[in-house]
Amino acid sequence: FAMTQLGSATSSNQVAVCSIRQRLLSCALVIISEFEKLSGKRARERSIKYNEIRIGLTNLAVNALQSLQYVQGGSAETEASNDAFKPSKFSYDFACQGENGDSTFQLLRTSISLLSHLSPASHDYSNYQSHSYGVDFTSCFKQRNALQQLQYHLSTASS
């Protein structure tokens, strides 16, 4: 994600940046899914490390959500600074059929999918590690204003 920060993205490579982020989050989703299938009872140390990785992936997904902005009709507002073009957010539009709109929309979908997969389920609270993960996940969401971001993207989708 360091190489795909908003300040380093220009209008010409926005599609590549969104695609890289989307593929990274897709890989994380597949790896976490497969890891959950393979692992039964984990030792305490492994569970703690696994939970730390899931929180890190949650941060990446929230970061991706925060970098996206809905614009109606593809009229993106951009900022110019000195001699480099630096967008404030990556823009998407539900009606957009272009390559740029598709890559940002796929990033939105993948981010929400990963967050859905990483969110703790109520039946997971049978032991301390699961409860601890739920507390950490909630704390991460609160510190990053992730619920506000999710609400923003879901309300634009439903209107």
Side-chain angles (χ1 to χ4, degrees):
F1 259 51
M3 293 175 51
T4 63
Q5 294 300 313
L6 286 172
S8 64
T10 63
S11 60
S12 62
N13 68 359
Q14 181 174 336
V15 173
V17 168
C18 288
S19 293
I20 289 169
R21 284 180 168 211
Q22 187 264 330
R23 289 179 181 146
L24 174 69
L25 295 177
S26 294
C27 290
L29 186 58
V30 169
I31 289 169
I32 289 290
S33 298
E34 289 301 314
F35 186 77
E36 287 174 351
K37 289 179 191 176
L38 295 174
S39 52
K41 299 272 185 188
R42 288 187 277 282
R44 177 179 155 85
E45 295 80 25
R46 287 179 133 182
S47 291
I48 291 171
K49 186 63 177 169
Y50 175 63
N51 289 342
E52 288 174 359
I53 290 169
R54 292 194 300 172
I55 294 299
L57 294 174
T58 299
N59 268 320
L60 288 177
V62 171
N63 188 10
L65 281 180
Q66 291 173 336
S67 71
L68 298 171
Q69 175 181 342
Y70 173 73
V71 286
Q72 194 167 8
S75 61
E77 296 179 16
T78 57
E79 298 177 354
S81 94
N82 295 344
D83 47 317
F85 170 80
K86 296 181 182 179
S88 58
K89 301 253 185 188
F90 298 125
S91 303
Y92 68 92
D93 181 9
F94 296 112
C96 186
Q97 300 296 326
E99 184 180 356
N100 183 35
D102 187 47
S103 65
T104 53
F105 182 66
Q106 291 303 321
L107 178 58
L108 173 66
R109 289 179 55 194
T110 305
S111 299
I112 292 174
S113 294
L114 183 58
L115 285 173
S116 296
H117 189 80
L118 292 171
S119 64
S122 60
H123 68 277
D124 285 344
Y125 292 134
S126 58
N127 64 34
Y128 173 75
Q129 280 85 19
S130 296
H131 178 70
S132 175
Y133 172 71
V135 170
D136 291 344
F137 184 88
T138 305
S139 176
C140 174
F141 252 54
K142 185 176 180 181
Q143 290 172 355
R144 303 287 309 275
N145 293 325
L147 284 178
Q148 183 180 12
Q149 290 296 316
L150 278 173
Q151 181 182 8
Y152 166 76
H153 292 296
L154 293 175
S155 67
T156 58
S158 64
S159 57

